[in-house]
Each structure stands twice: as structure tokens, then as C-alpha cells.
Amino acid sequence: MPKDHARKNALAQLKREYEIRHHDAIALLDHPDGDERDTMLFYLASYEHITTYDEALAELHDPLNQTLCETCGWTLRMVCPECPGCGCYNGRCSGWRHREDMAATGDDDGLREMRSCAECGGDTEAYYGCDCD
């Protein structure tokens, strides 16, 4: 009986916190991989267009979200035709694809101004754009 009560509380908390329907909360609670569940909860909390378990699962298994580099966290979606590999490359890339990705995901909220180099205007923290070093 206490186990059932804890499950009911967990379902209620998921529904309340992530504003999801009961069957989505059950699917999340029963998802077999804890790391994947945490990632899907992150998607539900972070992206307005993801509002169900199925949408979060689709985003999780989207090949474009596969991590390309563990060092800089780039995904296949971020691959730039000017960079040989990933965001760790700090050669002569104009950074257009990187800025495009930041704008598309909403990650640009003031970061560009905060991280821009005073000398060249390049991004000082994203492994590209600043040639002053």
C-alpha cells in the first residue's frame, strides 16, 4: 500500500510540475532508463513545443541530437560546413552556423553581447570567432 501511495504522489508531482496529462506522467514514470527520463523531463521543462511523453521521446531519439563531441557538447544538428569536426575547432570559421543554431534554440538571450571579444567581436567562449589569442 505505501508503494502505491508513493507512486500516486510521484504522478501528481509530475503532472503538476510539467503540466502534462496523466497518461504522459505514467509513461515517464515507467520509462526504463533513468538518464533518458531525466533528459525527457529537461525537454518538457525547457522547450515550449514539447508537451507530451511522445514528443519528448521523439526529440530524445532524433539523430540530429546525437552528441558529436563530449568536450564541447556539440550535436549533429550543429555541424558547420566550415569547421572540420566540432566546436572545439578554433581556426578560421565565420561562425554563421553557430549563431544560427543559438538563435534557433533560444540560447542567444544576451550571450552574444556578454561573450563577445572587445577587439574582434568574436565569441570568446564558444571555441570560434575570436582570433585574438
Side-chain angles (χ1 to χ4, degrees), residues 57-68 74-79:
L57 190 61
E59 184 76 13
L60 180 71
H61 292 295
D62 184 348
L64 293 177
N65 291 330
Q66 181 182 355
T67 302
L68 179 66
W74 268 37
T75 64
L76 289 177
R77 182 181 314 273
M78 301 165 132
V79 170

Side-chain angles (χ1 to χ4, degrees), residues 40 43 50 52-63 65:
M40 288 190 291
Y43 291 155
I50 298 177
T52 67
Y53 172 82
D54 290 335
E55 291 170 347
L57 190 61
E59 184 76 13
L60 180 71
H61 292 295
D62 184 348
N65 291 330

Side-chain angles (χ1 to χ4, degrees), residues 77-129:
R77 182 181 314 273
M78 301 165 132
V79 170
C80 173
E82 296 182 46
C83 296
C86 65
C88 294
Y89 172 72
N90 58 5
R92 298 188 183 275
C93 173
S94 67
W96 67 271
R97 181 63 177 256
H98 317 285
R99 288 188 294 275
E100 181 181 271
D101 183 69
M102 284 181 73
T105 59
D107 292 340
D108 189 24
D109 303 331
L111 289 178
R112 186 174 296 144
E113 293 80 23
M114 185 175 70
R115 299 183 340 189
S116 65
C117 174
E119 293 180 37
C120 68
D123 191 324
T124 59
E125 293 183 25
Y127 305 104
Y128 63 85

